[in-house]
Each structure stands twice: as structure tokens, then as C-alpha cells.
Amino acid sequence: MIISVASGKGGTGKTLVATSLALSLEKSDVQLLDCDVEEPNAYLLLRPTITQSQPVSIPIPKVDETKCTYCGKCSEVCVYHAIAVLKKRVLIFPEICHGCGACSYLCPEEAISEEGREIGVVEKGHSDGIEFVQGKLTIGEAMAPPVIRKVKEYVKPDRTVLIDVSPGTSCPVVEAIKGSDFCLLVTEPTPFGFSDLVLAVEVVRKLEIPCGVIVNRAGVGDSKVEDYCLKESIPILLKIPLDIQIAKLYSRGIPLVQGMPQWREAFLRISNDIELLVSIERTRRVAQ
Ligand code: SF4
Ligand code: SF4
């Protein structure tokens, strides 16, 4: 089962939830994939031993100007404006090229070949029996989805796969979440937490992925998050109170369920609840 752990808003405790859930389950059965490739930080809590590192590249066009007729076709097909054709010159802008291959495919003179451009790295290792994979986008690069896709190549669907997703609702979030059986949305009961939760729910519903909410720092703010979940029939699977001890553990890089083992049972219960919700959803889809 693949469970993505996302949050519309950054800093809501998504990684705290993902790591605590991983550590509460049967560890040899768990994979934790950190797909927050612009700022992966699950390793700070899990402290994995990294055993493999693999560069991630995307194919960038390279023009053979001895074959090029400067017809402009490549520039016309590039929706990202990453290639421009001048009178006697073709300019390529690697930073905005998505490596989609359309220009080389459609060049009538077969003047475009491709060369790899490294944009990040995928690291694999283990932490206390948990299989750990993380993607790291090189600083200054903008193309997170290819790195996320590379991380997700390590998914073993027969295991419990936890995907730590970047905050927000943009392309990297969609790339990380899609294909999940369930999405856990971590939020906080503040105006920003509420409005970003609404956006995140829209995304997971578009992707037709069942979701549930974890309210972190419960007790601050107002009841808008809870009212919204009730109205939208979204289960609140856990509330974690604003607690100085929890904050101290996090700032020292200690996972919640290690510093306060009494929380382990709550995370186990979430896992059982998710299994139940996923099986209800599957049954509902079969019946449709
Ligand atoms: S499509 Fe091919 S031939 Fe035409 S300008 Fe681009 S590289 Fe040159
Ligand atoms: S590979 Fe795709 S994104 Fe890159 S220049 Fe060619 S058409 Fe544009």
C-alpha cells in the first residue's frame, strides 16, 4: 500500500508524521521515500545509512548546425520556450528545458540529438530496518518531477510505502502523490493551515485518491479545519496537541515515537484506519 504524506502548507509537521508512522509499523515491511526533493529532511530524523547514490539527468537537445536549416520547427513545438531559432543560430536554454524530446522527435532534418544534464541525485539506504530513499534536487535547478519519478522507481507495492511529499499543491506535489492508495494531509488549525488544506483536498480529489487529515498543534487557532472536514466527510485520523516536549524532540532530530513511545499506538491505529478506508474505497469503486 502506498501512503503519501502531504500538506498544503509548509511546516505543519508532515515529516514528523511520516517518520513516526514508519517507525511504528513493522520496520522490515516499510519503505520511506522522501520526495520533498527541494528540501528533503526525513534523514534528519531517521539518520539512515546511505549505501547507494545515483545521479538523475534529463535529456537536453544538442543541435548539429551542419544539418540544421533554421526552419524554426523545434522552437514552435517547445511549449516551455526552451529553444529559440535565430537567422543562423539555435539557442537552447537548459535551465527551462523539460527534456520532453519533442524538438528532436519533430526536427525534419534529424539535426537534434540529446545529451544528459544532471539535475539531482537519488540516495538509497536503510534506517533501523526501514528501507530509505531520498531525492535531492541540485540547488538552483527547477525541475523537481524527474527526480521524484526516479525516487518512485524504488516503490515496492507489496510493502507499506510512505511518501514524504513537498508542501504546496504544485507539479512536484502531484508527481509525488499520484499512484498513492491514500493521502494523509497534515495541517494545523490556523487560517493558513485551513486555506492550504482546502487546496490540497482539491488536488487529491482530482487525482481520485482517498484522504484523511492529521491536525498538528491542535488547540491553537480556531475550529475551521474541523468544521470543514466534517462538512466534506474527510476523516480526522489524529490530533497532535501543541506541546513543548514534541517541539523540543523535533528540534533535536528525535522522532516523536522514539522520544515519546506512548504515541506509537496512535500511529498504529492510523495505519489500521487507512487500511480500512482504502478497502472501503476499493469496494465502492468496484460497485460503481
Ligand atoms: S527543427 Fe531542426 S532543422 Fe529546424 S531549426 Fe530546429 S534544429 Fe534546425
Ligand atoms: S526537449 Fe522539450 S522542453 Fe526541451 S527544448 Fe526540446 S521541446 Fe523544449
Side-chain angles (χ1 to χ4, degrees):
M1 181 163 61
I2 304 174
I3 302 168
S4 45
V5 185
S7 63
K9 178 183 172 298
T12 55
K14 170 178 62 63
T15 303
L16 175 150
V17 168
T19 51
S20 286
L21 193 51
L23 290 163
S24 301
L25 302 172
E26 178 55 50
K27 295 188 185 88
S28 60
D29 189 42
V30 175
Q31 276 188 308
L32 192 137
L33 271 48
D34 196 341
C35 285
D36 187 356
V37 300
E38 281 162 274
E39 211 176 343
N41 59 6
Y43 74 97
L44 294 170
L45 293 164
L46 290 183
R47 300 170 201 263
T49 304
I50 300 297
T51 54
Q52 280 179 38
S53 180
Q54 188 194 2
V56 181
S57 301
I58 57 171
I60 297 295
K62 186 178 168 198
V63 176
D64 178 349
E65 299 215 11
T66 61
K67 291 184 180 172
C68 177
T69 58
Y70 307 100
C71 68
K73 187 89 190 157
C74 51
S75 173
E76 277 168 38
V77 299
C78 181
V79 291
Y80 305 105
H81 307 294
I83 189 163
V85 180
L86 309 180
K87 208 168 174 192
K88 283 285 170 202
R89 206 166 156 211
V90 179
L91 298 177
I92 293 161
F93 306 102
E95 296 76 20
I96 52 173
C97 170
H98 282 53
C100 69
C103 53
S104 60
Y105 184 71
L106 291 165
C107 170
E109 307 301 330
E110 296 186 356
I112 303 181
S113 57
E114 290 176 339
E115 57 185 7
R117 190 171 77 87
E118 200 174 311
I119 55 164
V121 68
V122 170
E123 294 176 337
K124 183 172 179 287
H126 52 85
S127 167
D128 196 16
I130 296 169
E131 191 175 317
F132 179 84
V133 187
Q134 68 177 356
K136 286 183 183 171
L137 187 67
T138 304
I139 291 170
E141 291 292 345
M143 229 57 76
V147 181
I148 294 169
R149 280 195 288 277
K150 217 45 176 183
V151 175
K152 289 178 78 177
E153 283 179 11
Y154 287 88
V155 164
K156 294 176 181 160
D158 57 325
R159 305 231 181 138
T160 301
V161 184
L162 299 168
I163 297 182
D164 194 342
V165 180
S166 54
T169 49
S170 57
C171 298
V173 174
V174 173
E175 193 63 52
I177 291 177
K178 71 183 181 194
S180 299
D181 297 297
F182 193 86
C183 185
L184 258 180
L185 295 168
V186 185
T187 189
E188 58 183 28
T190 61
F192 285 129
F194 167 64
S195 71
D196 290 348
L197 173 67
V198 174
L199 296 175
V201 168
E202 274 176 31
V203 171
V204 292
R205 284 190 169 162
K206 269 260 184 298
L207 293 170
E208 299 187 349
I209 297 169
C211 68
V213 163
I214 291 187
V215 181
N216 192 16
R217 300 185 195 103
V220 298
D222 52 34
S223 67
K224 275 190 180 160
V225 164
E226 289 190 41
D227 297 344
Y228 168 76
C229 290
L230 188 65
K231 182 170 146 274
E232 294 292 326
S233 305
I234 300 168
I236 294 180
L237 300 173
L238 183 68
K239 291 182 195 173
I240 303 171
L242 180 68
D243 180 327
I244 188 75
Q245 204 185 339
I246 295 176
K248 275 186 183 166
L249 286 172
Y250 191 74
S251 68
R252 284 160 51 205
I254 301 171
L256 174 60
V257 296
Q258 277 179 355
M260 298 170 78
Q262 63 272 32
W263 278 93
R264 196 176 292 259
E265 204 169 309
F267 280 93
L268 267 177
R269 207 174 49 243
I270 292 176
S271 155
N272 293 336
D273 289 348
I274 291 174
E275 267 185 43
L276 185 65
L277 289 164
V278 168
S279 97
I280 290 170
E281 179 62 17
R282 282 183 183 151
T283 312
R284 188 188 66 80
R285 282 184 193 177
V286 170
Q288 270 182 350

